[in-house]
Amino acid sequence: MRKKDMIGMLLAGGQGSRLGVLTTNKAKPAVFFGGQYRIIDFPMSNCINSGVDTIGVLTQYQPLSLNKHIGIGIPWDMDRKNGGVTILSPHVKGESGDWYSGTANAIFQNIQFIDEFSPDYVLILGTDHIYKMDYSEMLRFHQENNCDATIAVLEVPLEEASRMGIMNTYENGKVYEFEEKPKNPKSNLASMGIYIFTWSKLKEALIKDNKIHPDSDFGKHIIPMMLGNNDTMFAFRFKDYWRDVGTIEAYWETNMELIKTLPAFNLYEDFWKIYTDAAHQPPSYTGPESDVKLSITSCGCEIYGKVYNSVLGPEVTIEDGAVVTDSIIMEKCSIGRGSRLNRVIVDSNTKIGENVIIGEGENIPNELKPDVYFTGITVIAENSVVPDNVRIGLNCVISGITDNSMYENGELKSGGSVCQEEVVL
Amino acid sequence: MRAVGIILAGGNNDRLGNLTMFRATSAMPVGSCYRAIDFPLSNMSNSGINKVAVITQYNSRSLHDHLSSAKWWDLGRKQGGLFIFTPYLTSDNSFWFRGTADSMYQNISFLKRSNEQYVVITSGHTVYKMDYDDVIDAHIKKGADITIVSRKRMEDEDLKSYGVMSDDEDGRITDFEEKPLEPQYDTLSLGIYVIARSLLIHLLESVVPEGRYDFVRDVLQRYRKKLKMYSYNFDGYCKAVNSIQSYFELNMDFLNREIRENLTKKEPYIETKPKDEPPVKFNYGSVFKDSLVGNGSILNGVVEHSVLFRKVVTGENSVILNSIIMEGCYIGDNCRVENAILDKEVILSDGKQLIGERFNPVIVGKREVV
């Protein structure tokens, strides 16, 4: 293999259990965002836009949609003879197999893959955040400071700092201490889960730590260990837009930020595009009686009804007389005539019947998962069907093909769930 | 894999005026995010033809740009794939393509080096969705030498820009006229042909050295009695970009739900080169009715019965009616555009008015600033 300066390793194995049914059948990085994108498109596009053309994507939880989405990397121009994208799934070694038991363990298990490119540096990324970042600037910072490790950090309000991994630094940015969720934070520089390591140093640390911790983790083990060894570690301050979309509420909020007249996160600039797999891109149509305001729609939408403050994925159909407000409707869903949706997340390939009312009633947390669904947003899983003429309240969850018999008096009260068996909410 | 494909994309059409000043007719943008050639090219790929030659000459840059990678049509292959032929110099030939037959003759090695039995020939500027496999089946069943895909004349159609023919009950063609002044028949040729590869090589080698360069005039018309030519009736949507009027109409046809669903939504899909634009953004003041829009557009004003391409920005209180607005146009605040065709990247400054007549749209050329 031709040598690469820096290769990227994307940790894409997480489930994201706080996203509820959105991650039942797919890993969190494969969840749709902003209509046509999936969450992993952001770090992947950042990589190629930063000149990192060789990446490994480490998958573990429900990788099917992710594997299909990434394919051989065509949308990101990563279909290369030298490098490109490689999907790295856990595999059997010798007589036994190992799952990825921790973030650093996952990298440890792929040392061979990294060594093939003999890189000087390795970029480690999480894949559950929405942001644009030039990793080449971070690399330059790493080189200028002769670092062994550089950690991207974001200034957060001090009250939030106790929920995050905090870097305590000297004035010049050199890290002297890392604290995971400190009770009394000494600084407000939170780790973004984006690291650049000098590969020789990291490799050494991974091998050493793997003997001590079978669930080797960057935050818990590798970084404290490197600090203990007096390795040079700097915090790289990032000051731009960065959002964690790990909860239903944060996911909804971050989507809604895109529809503002002047959004904080700009998808419309030509020189830092976000790429996604959209080989088939028909135009969008809106009918004579339609009304669409403060919304974004992806290619191939057919809108005959009314859409306000919403985000629509590709090939969504909104029939005559339907009114969709404050909602996220993902790929290939259809909303029947006269239906009314308010603060609903509808995952892909779902069919909502006619005259269905969703999202009206009292704000009662979900009975089965009150810690996931409590902010008034009702979530409908992918490939579901909601029959005609039913009323569904707030914080409800629907999954699978449902018919009228599953709704008592044609109603699902706030906080209720209608699910096929064995579905993990 | 019984056929190879040839797309004749060399032509230019004076009747499109300014719009083809910088591009081949086959590269004309249609239906909000396609170019005309996407249709025949996707048809080829969807019909299982994976060796396709695009023959181009006039303003070929626009086509080269669009076809720079063949993978979007699944034609980026080691075996077969997409071939693009433009005129080139050799020691004994310094001519441009002097006609459609000549353009195939100059690239006859493409035909000779293939081993597929049939050739499907189509024009590059016709918008339609067709399975060529069905045409080849009919061709074999009839024992035809040449099969010409045809359609009965529609109302108000100007036959003067088509080849027209008469056929008997069995579909055998008895006469063929090209762009007649006074058409005698009402079956029109759609410019899509199936012919055996060996016969095509033979015909080209017979006519071109005699100085006959046009496939329709010098092959189809001249051999209409000698060869067994059959028509294959096609009922589906099919419109060629051959005048401002037909260009305008075929774009507006995409506003018809049935036509749009057939051309853009039903499998097999018509593919195009992706541009990675973000979603369409409808802002507070947008009123967008009975119109198409391509990704990356930002809408603030009123749009009715129009086709907007990708990356169009409309300003506040602007009104666009019955118009075609191509990729990258910027319409300022308080503008009014009616019955107009705006080529790519036109900028309309605030308050400008562009009003054309219903059957005679105003045309603004590429990158003009009004």
Side-chain angles (χ1 to χ4, degrees):
Chain A
M1 277 296 168
R2 195 186 297 170
K3 179 183 160 56
K4 299 278 175 184
D5 278 351
M6 178 163 81
I7 72 167
M9 296 294 274
L10 279 66
L11 301 163
Q15 177 187 356
S17 54
R18 287 172 306 156
L19 283 176
V21 283
L22 298 179
T23 54
T24 303
N25 292 319
K26 51 181 172 281
K28 181 163 149 190
V31 171
F32 284 99
F33 178 83
Q36 66 195 34
Y37 305 103
R38 295 189 191 240
I39 296 171
I40 197 169
D41 291 338
F42 293 85
M44 278 187 75
S45 301
N46 286 339
C47 277
I48 197 71
N49 289 338
S50 307
V52 179
D53 64 6
T54 303
I55 63 171
V57 179
L58 297 108
T59 62
Q60 175 153 290
Y61 175 83
Q62 289 280 23
L64 179 63
S65 9
L66 201 53
N67 291 352
K68 271 168 65 186
H69 179 66
I70 294 170
I72 59 166
I74 290 177
W76 304 271
D77 269 345
M78 288 200 190
D79 48 330
R80 304 276 172 119
K81 279 181 87 171
N82 269 298
V85 58
T86 307
I87 301 222
L88 302 166
S89 51
H91 49 276
V92 176
K93 290 162 277 271
E95 296 198 342
S96 64
D98 279 316
W99 293 106
Y100 295 148
S101 55
T103 50
N105 176 270
I107 305 295
F108 170 78
Q109 292 196 39
N110 288 290
I111 285 178
Q112 206 187 344
F113 167 78
I114 300 173
D115 272 341
E116 277 186 23
F117 299 98
S118 18
D120 298 327
Y121 310 101
V122 174
L123 170 71
I124 313 273
L125 301 172
T127 48
D128 30 22
H129 298 110
I130 305 299
Y131 65 109
K132 291 184 193 175
M133 180 173 178
D134 188 345
Y135 304 130
S136 67
E137 273 178 30
M138 185 168 162
L139 177 62
R140 208 172 306 132
F141 177 88
H142 180 86
Q143 290 164 330
E144 277 166 9
N145 291 296
N146 292 317
C147 294
D148 298 314
T150 301
I151 297 160
V153 294
L154 193 76
E155 281 181 42
V156 294
L158 216 52
E159 59 269 25
E160 280 179 33
S162 53
R163 290 191 283 114
M164 310 182 94
I166 295 299
M167 295 287 155
N168 298 322
T169 66
Y170 300 115
E171 231 165 71
N172 65 356
K174 191 170 189 307
V175 179
Y176 65 87
E177 190 186 20
F178 173 76
E179 287 182 294
E180 185 75 41
K181 296 178 185 157
K183 279 213 178 83
N184 299 305
K186 291 177 215 152
S187 104
N188 63 344
L189 298 178
S191 164
M192 298 160 68
I194 300 169
Y195 315 105
I196 288 179
F197 289 100
T198 301
W199 174 230
S200 54
K201 288 282 179 181
L202 177 63
K203 189 175 164 184
E204 199 181 299
L206 288 173
I207 294 170
K208 203 163 140 196
D209 191 63
N210 188 60
K211 292 185 185 133
I212 312 164
H213 305 105
D215 58 342
S216 183
D217 182 276
F218 280 104
K220 280 196 211 110
H221 310 126
I222 299 292
I223 289 167
M225 177 192 209
M226 289 181 80
L227 282 172
N229 291 348
N230 278 327
D231 285 335
T232 314
M233 191 179 294
F234 269 73
F236 175 76
R237 284 182 190 231
F238 181 74
K239 293 191 169 138
D240 222 327
Y241 185 94
W242 186 81
R243 292 287 185 277
D244 180 275
V245 287
T247 64
I248 294 281
E249 179 68 12
Y251 175 80
W252 184 85
E253 276 288 341
T254 312
N255 269 282
M256 290 306 149
E257 283 182 352
L258 297 173
I259 62 174
K260 298 200 171 111
T261 309
L262 283 175
F265 189 60
N266 186 4
L267 290 169
Y268 294 81
E269 52 186 11
D270 277 338
F271 45 86
W272 202 273
K273 277 190 179 175
I274 305 300
Y275 305 100
T276 189
D277 173 32
H280 167 60
Q281 301 175 300
S284 291
Y285 176 80
T286 55
E289 305 301 324
S290 69
D291 192 15
V292 189
K293 285 195 166 68
L294 284 173
S295 297
I296 58 174
T297 69
S298 311
C299 53
C301 284
E302 294 270 319
I303 304 170
Y304 298 91
K306 296 180 167 52
V307 178
Y308 306 114
N309 299 313
S310 295
V311 174
L312 268 52
E315 298 184 63
V316 168
T317 306
I318 311 282
E319 291 292 357
D320 229 4
V323 184
V324 175
T325 316
D326 298 329
S327 296
I328 300 167
I329 317 284
M330 299 188 212
E331 192 175 74
K332 292 182 179 155
C333 288
S334 66
I335 313 293
R337 278 165 195 277
S339 289
R340 216 156 68 214
L341 275 68
N342 190 23
R343 272 171 79 89
V344 187
I345 298 174
V346 186
D347 204 345
S348 50
N349 288 312
T350 286
K351 194 172 178 302
I352 309 279
E354 295 182 3
N355 302 313
V356 173
I357 295 170
I358 309 180
E360 290 179 15
E362 272 183 277
N363 191 359
I364 302 166
N366 190 273
E367 287 156 13
L368 300 174
K369 287 264 174 143
D371 53 335
V372 176
Y373 312 99
F374 59 92
T375 55
I377 297 164
T378 283
V379 183
I380 302 175
E382 62 177 6
N383 305 319
S384 300
V385 173
V386 176
D388 295 348
N389 308 315
V390 293
R391 294 173 61 93
I392 297 162
L394 278 64
N395 300 315
C396 294
V397 182
I398 293 165
S399 173
I401 296 166
T402 64
D403 59 45
N404 284 84
S405 68
M406 298 159 106
Y407 298 84
E408 215 176 305
N409 301 323
E411 195 175 5
L412 179 65
K413 290 217 166 69
S414 290
S417 308
V418 176
C419 291
Q420 283 169 329
E421 283 170 55
E422 291 175 36
V423 166
V424 187
L425 295 184
Chain B
M1 286 196 268
R2 1 178 226 178
V4 297
I6 293 180
I7 298 176
L8 299 170
N12 181 39
N13 193 320
D14 294 341
R15 294 210 278 159
L16 285 161
N18 254 349
L19 298 176
T20 50
M21 191 131 87
F22 300 107
R23 60 172 79 86
T25 321
S26 304
M28 283 293 284
V30 295
S32 188
C33 60
Y34 304 99
R35 286 182 187 261
I37 197 168
D38 289 335
F39 292 84
L41 201 51
S42 301
N43 288 337
M44 290 284 178
S45 176
N46 294 337
S47 305
I49 298 174
N50 47 35
K51 190 174 192 180
V52 180
V54 173
I55 301 182
T56 166
Q57 164 162 295
Y58 183 86
N59 264 335
S60 52
R61 191 209 59 82
S62 53
L63 265 186
H64 276 294
D65 180 8
H66 190 62
L67 304 177
S68 61
S69 172
K71 58 186 160 189
W72 319 119
W73 298 273
D74 258 348
L75 290 169
R77 296 174 179 241
K78 279 200 297 179
Q79 301 295 324
L82 184 67
F83 295 75
I84 302 176
F85 296 126
T86 47
Y88 54 94
L89 294 174
T90 62
S91 54
D92 55 358
N93 181 1
S94 58
F95 298 113
W96 293 92
F97 298 149
R98 290 160 293 187
T100 45
D102 186 41
S103 71
M104 288 189 273
Y105 177 74
Q106 288 196 32
N107 296 296
I108 206 155
S109 56
F110 169 75
L111 291 169
K112 288 188 169 172
R113 284 176 194 165
S114 301
N115 60 357
E116 287 80 356
Q117 206 177 346
Y118 300 99
V119 184
V120 175
I121 303 171
T122 173
S123 69
H125 60 267
T126 310
V127 173
Y128 65 108
K129 197 171 187 176
M130 182 184 291
D131 188 346
Y132 300 130
D133 236 20
D134 297 343
V135 190
I136 298 171
D137 282 344
H139 180 85
I140 295 168
K141 207 169 144 208
K142 298 267 188 198
D145 291 321
I146 300 177
T147 298
I148 302 177
V149 180
S150 67
R151 195 186 63 201
K152 289 289 170 202
R153 176 191 192 173
M154 308 266 211
E155 271 176 75
D156 304 330
E157 210 156 35
D158 185 9
L159 285 180
K160 284 180 206 136
S161 52
Y162 289 93
V164 296
M165 51 207 187
S166 68
D167 49 354
D168 65 17
E169 276 166 22
D170 191 33
R172 172 114 190 220
I173 293 164
T174 52
D175 202 3
F176 192 103
E177 295 179 307
E178 174 68 352
K179 297 176 184 158
L181 278 177
E182 285 172 24
Q184 306 292 313
Y185 317 112
D186 65 350
T187 301
L188 50 92
S189 159
L190 297 175
I192 303 157
Y193 317 106
V194 170
I195 180 171
R197 188 175 52 88
S198 53
L199 178 62
L200 179 61
I201 293 171
H202 170 74
L203 290 170
L204 293 173
E205 286 183 336
S206 312
V207 301
V208 176
E210 290 177 4
R212 301 177 195 275
Y213 303 128
D214 191 69
F215 186 71
V216 173
R217 200 178 53 230
D218 300 322
V219 176
L220 297 182
Q221 240 179 330
R222 198 144 167 270
Y223 285 84
R224 67 189 184 278
K225 303 268 154 94
K226 198 168 173 214
L227 293 176
K228 275 193 284 178
M229 304 211 289
Y230 281 85
S231 70
Y232 173 91
N233 188 54
F234 177 67
D235 291 327
Y237 182 85
C238 186
K239 207 169 247 178
V241 181
N242 49 23
S243 64
I244 299 275
Q245 185 64 26
S246 70
Y247 176 71
F248 197 85
E249 276 171 15
L250 88 83
N251 273 290
M252 292 304 168
D253 284 343
F254 278 83
L255 299 179
N256 176 312
R257 190 170 188 173
E258 207 181 312
I259 294 174
R260 181 176 63 251
E261 280 182 357
N262 174 39
L263 290 178
T264 72
K265 289 285 176 65
K266 286 208 181 105
E267 284 192 73
Y269 295 128
I270 303 298
E271 303 289 356
T272 188
K273 178 182 176 181
K275 293 276 182 86
D276 301 296
E277 296 302 341
V280 182
K281 193 157 185 292
F282 294 85
N283 281 339
Y284 187 72
S286 90
V287 177
F288 199 80
K289 291 181 193 292
D290 193 22
S291 298
L292 275 183
V293 60
N295 264 7
S297 294
I298 301 178
L299 307 168
N300 293 296
V302 178
V303 179
E304 267 183 59
H305 196 71
S306 295
V307 175
L308 272 58
F309 286 72
R310 295 178 177 124
K311 276 179 81 176
V312 172
V313 178
T314 71
E316 279 171 32
N317 296 317
S318 62
V319 178
I320 297 170
L321 302 175
N322 199 40
S323 296
I324 297 171
I325 315 288
M326 289 191 211
E327 190 172 321
C329 283
Y330 178 89
I331 315 289
D333 296 345
N334 305 308
C335 288
R336 189 172 180 90
V337 179
E338 259 181 73
N339 304 317
I341 300 176
L342 271 57
D343 205 330
K344 277 185 168 185
E345 293 162 36
V346 166
I347 296 176
L348 230 60
S349 53
D350 293 354
K352 286 286 177 306
Q353 300 222 340
L354 272 178
I355 297 177
E357 291 162 37
R358 190 154 167 71
F359 295 104
N360 185 19
V362 200
I363 297 173
V364 185
K366 194 168 174 177
R367 296 206 189 94
E368 274 185 40
V369 178
V370 181

